[in-house]
Amino acid sequence: MALNRTVNKMCSLCKKSSILTNVVTKRNSHFVYVPDTDVPIQGKTEKLTMFQAINNALDITLKNDKTAKIFGEDVGFGGVFRCTVGLRDKYGKERVFNTPLSEQGIAGFAIGIANMGSTAIAEMQFADYIFPAFDQIVNEAAKMRYRSGGQFDCGKLTIRSPSMAVGHGALYHSQSPESYFAHTPGLKIVIPRSAIRAKGLLLSCIRDPDPCIFFEPKVLYRSAVEEVPIDDYELPIGKADVIRKGEAVTLIGWGTQVHVLMEVAELAKEKFNVSCEVIDLVSILPWDRATVFESAKKTKRVIVSHEAPLTCGFGAELASSIQEECFLHLEAPVSRVAGFDTPFPHIFEPFYLPTKWRCLDAVEKILNY
Amino acid sequence: MYSRCRLNLVQNALNIFKTNYSSEANIKLESKFLLHNLDKGPSEEVTLKKEDALKIFKNMDSIRKFENSSAQMYREKVIRGFCHLYAGQEAVAAGLTAAMRPQDICITAYRCHGIAYVMGATVEEVLCELTGRASGIARGKGGSMHMYTDKMFGGNGIVGSHVPVGTGLGFARKYTGKDGVSITMYGDGAANQGQCFEAFNMAKIFQIPVVYICENNLFGLGTFCARAAANTKYYTRCEYIPGICIDGMDVLAVREGIKFAIDYAQSGNGPIIAECVTYRYFGHSMSDPGTSYRKREDIEETREKRDCLKKYKNYLTSCNLFTPEELKAIETENKKKTEKASQFARTDKIPPLEELNTDIYVKALEPVRNVSHFKPLAHINSNKFPLTP
């Protein structure tokens, strides 16, 4: 069947039939982390992982913004991914505290705090758990400013949530729900790819005057490590990063997938002798139309890749917009490499994910279109 | 008398056959029931038949053994991902199923290995699900949080989301005129989800035969219950639904208490909440060491003084239903069984790749979209389970 053929292709380097067992049981990481070298500010740096960089951003916020509060399930003792470790001891349990297991309550509570002009940083323990809070985020937070005629807002609200695949998360600890929220005017949605980006973008989200959702790729918490500036800095929301220049194909991704695409660009150079441009979209809502269109017009071929299922994934929005704006420049239809339209599978994660081989396959096809 | 025969075999094997041991015992419970909006609670004197006693012991001991084995397999990275172990809470699962009747159904949260086992899954099926193998109870597709049997509706991964579902199960039982109650289990953490209160309200206005069981193991992940709940007497959390508080470390109290609750719900009184106060020995999941928010000594002390298996063994030997040697023989048998199952779970075959696109719909109107629109994956129905149990 078709999937088997795809898999065989993916594993073309290994001819042995035991490859299935190996892939399924060994669960090697599906990407190689590319350290971020784009250091935004001068000054002292420290080697930090992404969770430490996030912790550092939260620390800076609590220190400088006396109204800031951090809360969520188990954040008091550091949270399941250790992003808030030490903050309760440093700033007190009035400012960093655990909430009950109540996502809808947490979101509504955070909106109320933000309504009063305080900085509210709420953690949803996993993005997969955000759905009970969907109503509060979509109907309350996003529309607050609009429906009150600009009199009230909850702009000081930031919701942090670990998302994306982690290697073994199965159905409820692996999902990428960004496109559900991207359908909601009034929200801003940001996904970092590295420790440096995570710190600057999180600080921007916290200080942005609109409610933001910050999805943190959980597999990067410990695997993303680099020299991060210890001073305060912000990185712009709504601005994509071109992290590798190229001429033949534009590869667009966000979060973990950026690292997969970086490897694909390298493989494409090696196998097909073409240069790929890699764009980290960074911000899902709003997204950087100018950068994307400029690149699409230059390379004339675009592949968008994300972990979320294909249908109505954010790639659909990009593909549609690119085709509308760059139609006469394109040499091939915009292609999407995404998760399958299945629930996130428990043991078939290595096949479900848009791996480098699937992306490389798409590069080959788009070049030969 | 299947269990009796099995027991005889064990006794023969050890050559300690004793005919003068009693076949039934009357036991005064060590713990008391606490009541909410009830005039009368369960009896604190229980009668325990030897065959029932044996079944309960086997269930509890098996769960303890395979959960310890799961922990070991997790450390060896044979089991990956999120794995929530039941060790410490066995009395709830074993006591509950001893009270359930064939027509009753149940649903629980993600800490479901023990419940799945007492509801009919084999140790092999549970462990294979954890290792993601084809003989797993969900054919290796679900993992730790997703276990099902014909009368157990999961294994649910999202905290509290199954409480309204359990209420619907009970409503269907009532609406179709069938006998049977829905046993809807949740933890002390889930008790704070708004969905629980929505479900309580609906259960009461429709007088649905639901027994809500709050398994209070004192910690919602790493948060002590009193830090998360304004009222930690979970059996009193609803002013219009009566409740009982049961010592969840005493399997006989659980059995008696749940029997009472089932009887109450089945008699047309509508829902009831039974809180079982228990304790988990491992962390919330295997990625939580379980010691950053509670003291090691507390865990040790509970293991020493309140352990449900120890307490039950004490009942069984002091009322002359079993000798310590007989219990030891059962433990040895369970140990062997678990070792065999664990070996099987390590070596069973991986589910075929087609499982990726199997059972998304009953009637798929289009193929599953692949990377390329030109190569869709055929949707497959396994038809393994009937639609209604």
Side-chain angles (χ1 to χ4, degrees):
Chain A
M1 50 170 293
L3 178 61
N4 273 327
R5 282 202 300 275
T6 315
V7 170
N8 286 340
K9 189 155 194 176
M10 286 178 349
C11 307
S12 60
L13 295 174
C14 296
K15 298 269 188 271
K16 287 179 189 165
S17 61
S18 64
I19 187 69
L20 177 63
T21 314
N22 285 339
V23 171
V24 171
T25 52
K26 284 198 177 160
R27 317 267 173 112
N28 293 327
S29 179
H30 70 286
F31 68 100
V32 177
Y33 181 71
V34 183
D36 197 345
T37 49
D38 180 9
V39 184
I41 55 164
Q42 300 290 317
K44 212 176 145 210
T45 62
E46 198 178 333
K47 195 169 186 182
L48 298 179
T49 60
M50 192 166 104
F51 87 84
Q52 290 166 330
I54 288 167
N55 184 278
N56 182 235
L58 296 173
D59 193 351
I60 289 171
T61 304
L62 287 167
K63 190 169 75 190
N64 299 334
D65 177 355
K66 297 295 174 213
T67 72
K69 288 158 192 68
I70 297 175
F71 47 89
E73 293 157 13
D74 305 296
V75 301
F77 75 91
V80 292
F81 291 105
R82 318 311 291 152
C83 292
T84 52
V85 76
L87 298 177
R88 181 173 64 184
D89 293 341
K90 201 164 169 186
Y91 297 100
K93 60 183 193 301
E94 291 75 27
R95 299 185 65 197
V96 181
F97 51 92
N98 289 344
T99 60
L101 289 171
S102 174
E103 290 79 13
Q104 188 176 17
I106 294 168
F109 179 76
I111 292 167
I113 290 175
N115 267 172
M116 297 294 284
S118 294
T119 300
I121 305 165
E123 178 179 302
M124 297 289 162
Q125 197 162 62
F126 283 88
D128 312 66
Y129 305 171
I130 206 168
F131 301 113
F134 198 73
D135 176 58
Q136 285 288 347
I137 296 169
V138 169
N139 278 334
E140 301 300 325
K143 300 174 176 64
M144 182 75 72
R145 191 187 297 275
Y146 187 83
R147 70 168 196 239
S148 68
Q151 299 176 82
F152 289 91
D153 70 84
C154 54
K156 288 189 173 285
L157 167 67
T158 302
I159 292 174
R160 296 178 40 245
S161 194
S163 80
M164 298 189 166
V166 68
H168 44 252
L171 290 92
Y172 294 131
H173 296 84
S174 308
Q175 296 174 86
S176 304
E178 65 271 4
S179 71
Y180 290 112
F181 293 97
H183 202 57
T184 308
L187 297 178
K188 288 178 179 166
I189 303 161
V190 175
I191 304 177
R193 70 164 188 278
S194 69
I196 291 178
R197 300 293 117 185
K199 178 178 170 181
L201 288 165
L202 179 57
L203 283 167
S204 295
C205 283
I206 291 169
R207 292 161 188 172
D208 190 88
D210 290 307
C212 296
I213 306 179
F214 194 69
F215 287 120
E216 299 159 4
K218 61 178 101 64
V219 75
L220 298 181
Y221 276 136
R222 285 165 193 276
S223 58
V225 56
E226 58 229 357
E227 290 290 331
V228 179
I230 55 164
D231 291 335
D232 193 340
Y233 63 93
E234 291 178 29
L235 291 168
I237 298 172
K239 183 86 190 70
D241 289 338
V242 179
I243 49 176
R244 182 180 166 122
K245 290 270 183 200
E247 303 298 327
V249 184
T250 299
L251 306 173
I252 307 174
W254 46 90
T256 320
Q257 197 59 15
V258 171
H259 303 286
V260 175
L261 294 177
M262 286 296 275
E263 198 177 349
V264 172
E266 199 57 46
L267 283 167
K269 185 154 189 262
E270 193 183 298
K271 307 257 182 211
F272 314 133
N273 197 28
V274 295
S275 67
C276 294
E277 182 145 306
V278 179
I279 297 180
D280 174 6
L281 197 64
V282 179
S283 172
I284 305 296
L285 197 67
W287 61 278
D288 187 351
R289 298 165 69 89
T291 303
V292 168
F293 294 156
E294 192 190 324
S295 177
K297 285 174 184 168
K298 180 178 75 177
T299 64
K300 308 181 194 316
R301 293 177 175 89
V302 184
I303 295 170
V304 189
S305 184
H306 53 68
E307 291 182 13
L310 183 75
T311 300
C312 279
F314 200 67
E317 175 62 29
L318 292 173
S320 164
S321 303
I322 293 166
Q323 264 146 193
E324 204 170 352
E325 291 292 325
C326 315
F327 188 69
L328 294 175
H329 297 266
L330 295 178
E331 293 289 350
V334 178
S335 170
R336 291 177 287 161
V337 186
F340 295 98
D341 280 4
T342 70
F344 200 104
H346 172 214
I347 65 155
F348 293 126
E349 180 175 323
F351 305 127
Y352 175 88
L353 290 176
T355 56
K356 59 186 174 188
W357 301 114
R358 278 172 59 189
C359 294
L360 190 67
D361 191 37
V363 171
E364 189 181 12
K365 285 206 184 82
I366 209 167
L367 287 169
N368 298 326
Y369 184 80
Chain B
M1 294 293 284
Y2 171 70
S3 53
R4 192 64 177 271
C5 294
R6 286 288 291 274
L7 177 67
N8 286 346
L9 284 176
V10 172
Q11 286 167 335
N12 279 335
L14 286 170
N15 204 15
I16 48 157
F17 200 76
K18 289 190 178 186
T19 49
N20 58 345
Y21 261 72
S22 42
S23 64
E24 194 174 291
N26 289 318
I27 297 169
K28 173 98 179 73
L29 294 178
E30 286 172 17
S31 54
K32 297 237 175 294
F33 296 105
L34 304 175
L35 306 179
H36 167 65
N37 286 356
L38 285 170
D39 298 329
K40 197 174 152 292
S43 162
E44 283 168 11
E45 298 263 357
V46 304
T47 308
L48 183 62
K49 287 204 184 96
K50 189 160 178 167
E51 59 189 279
D52 296 338
L54 176 67
K55 196 170 173 196
I56 292 172
F57 181 72
K58 279 187 168 176
N59 275 345
M60 287 173 73
D61 188 59
S62 289
I63 298 174
R64 178 71 53 91
K65 294 225 159 36
F66 75 65
E67 288 294 59
N68 286 338
S69 169
S70 306
Q72 182 54 32
M73 287 199 279
Y74 195 93
R75 287 184 207 110
E76 293 170 27
K77 300 195 172 174
V78 180
I79 297 173
R80 304 292 303 268
F82 295 81
C83 180
H84 310 87
L85 300 181
Y86 200 65
Q89 303 181 204
E90 296 90 344
V92 181
L96 164 71
T97 34
M100 279 172 82
R101 306 159 305 162
Q103 63 268 43
D104 299 325
I105 48 182
C106 86
I107 186 166
T108 188
Y110 45 81
R111 201 175 302 286
C112 63
H113 312 168
I115 313 287
Y117 175 70
V118 294
M119 290 300 290
T122 63
V123 181
E124 277 85 357
E125 284 174 325
V126 171
L127 295 184
C128 284
E129 191 56 45
L130 293 175
T131 54
R133 303 292 172 138
S135 306
I137 196 155
R139 303 204 304 287
K141 292 180 78 169
S144 170
M145 300 181 284
H146 310 285
M147 299 200 176
Y148 303 81
T149 69
D150 58 346
K151 286 183 191 129
M152 180 201 173
F153 288 69
N156 290 269
I158 301 296
V159 174
S161 69
H162 62 289
V163 179
V165 178
T167 310
L169 297 176
F171 182 78
R173 271 284 192 259
K174 186 183 173 186
Y175 185 77
T176 51
K178 284 185 188 155
D179 206 23
V181 305
S182 161
I183 309 275
T184 301
M185 307 171 75
Y186 56 94
D188 50 297
N192 303 315
Q193 285 278 6
Q195 299 187 65
C196 293
F197 296 93
E198 295 176 31
F200 290 165
N201 188 43
M202 290 170 81
K204 188 61 192 173
I205 53 172
F206 302 134
Q207 289 289 81
I208 300 175
V210 193
V211 176
Y212 293 108
I213 298 183
C214 178
E215 273 185 279
N216 176 8
N217 65 19
L218 308 181
F219 293 89
L221 208 168
T223 302
F224 183 56
C225 56
R227 293 176 191 271
N231 175 5
T232 54
K233 292 175 181 167
Y234 293 94
Y235 67 108
T236 67
R237 289 284 288 263
C238 190
E239 81 266 24
Y240 45 78
I241 297 182
I244 47 174
C245 183
I246 302 169
D247 176 0
M249 299 303 262
D250 181 346
V251 69
L252 297 179
V254 174
R255 187 183 72 152
E256 215 54 29
I258 302 302
K259 237 184 219 170
F260 172 88
I262 290 175
D263 189 48
Y264 178 91
Q266 190 68 83
S267 317
N269 296 311
I272 182 167
I273 300 173
E275 175 187 352
C276 296
V277 184
T278 179
Y279 200 79
R280 67 168 148 75
Y281 293 150
F282 290 100
H284 162 78
S285 73
M286 285 305 289
S287 43
D288 162 30
T291 47
S292 54
Y293 47 84
R294 56 182 187 180
K295 293 194 195 109
R296 257 174 225 283
E297 299 85 71
D298 292 347
I299 307 169
E300 286 313 312
E301 196 185 315
T302 310
R303 274 186 188 276
E304 201 53 48
K305 294 185 182 156
R306 289 179 56 218
D307 183 70
C308 59
L309 263 165
K310 272 191 186 157
K311 185 179 273 191
Y312 186 51
K313 278 202 262 188
N314 196 26
Y315 273 137
L316 293 181
T317 49
S318 59
C319 71
N320 286 340
L321 277 178
F322 291 93
T323 62
E325 292 76 24
E326 286 171 322
L327 297 180
K328 188 79 204 152
I330 296 164
E331 287 173 336
T332 312
E333 195 191 5
N334 277 340
K335 187 159 176 256
K336 278 190 203 142
K337 207 171 70 179
T338 307
E339 274 166 13
K340 202 170 143 230
S342 143
Q343 198 49 39
F344 180 69
R346 290 161 195 264
T347 51
D348 186 34
K349 64 179 188 299
I350 301 279
L353 202 46
E354 287 82 358
E355 284 287 7
L356 177 64
N357 37 301
T358 296
D359 290 339
I360 302 166
Y361 298 98
V362 169
K363 188 181 168 192
L365 297 175
E366 58 172 9
V368 180
R369 286 197 194 171
N370 197 347
V371 196
S372 155
H373 289 278
F374 305 108
K375 280 189 196 167
L377 306 174
H379 182 273
I380 300 168
N381 287 99
S382 71
N383 296 324
K384 171 144 183 178
F385 300 105
L387 282 176
T388 46

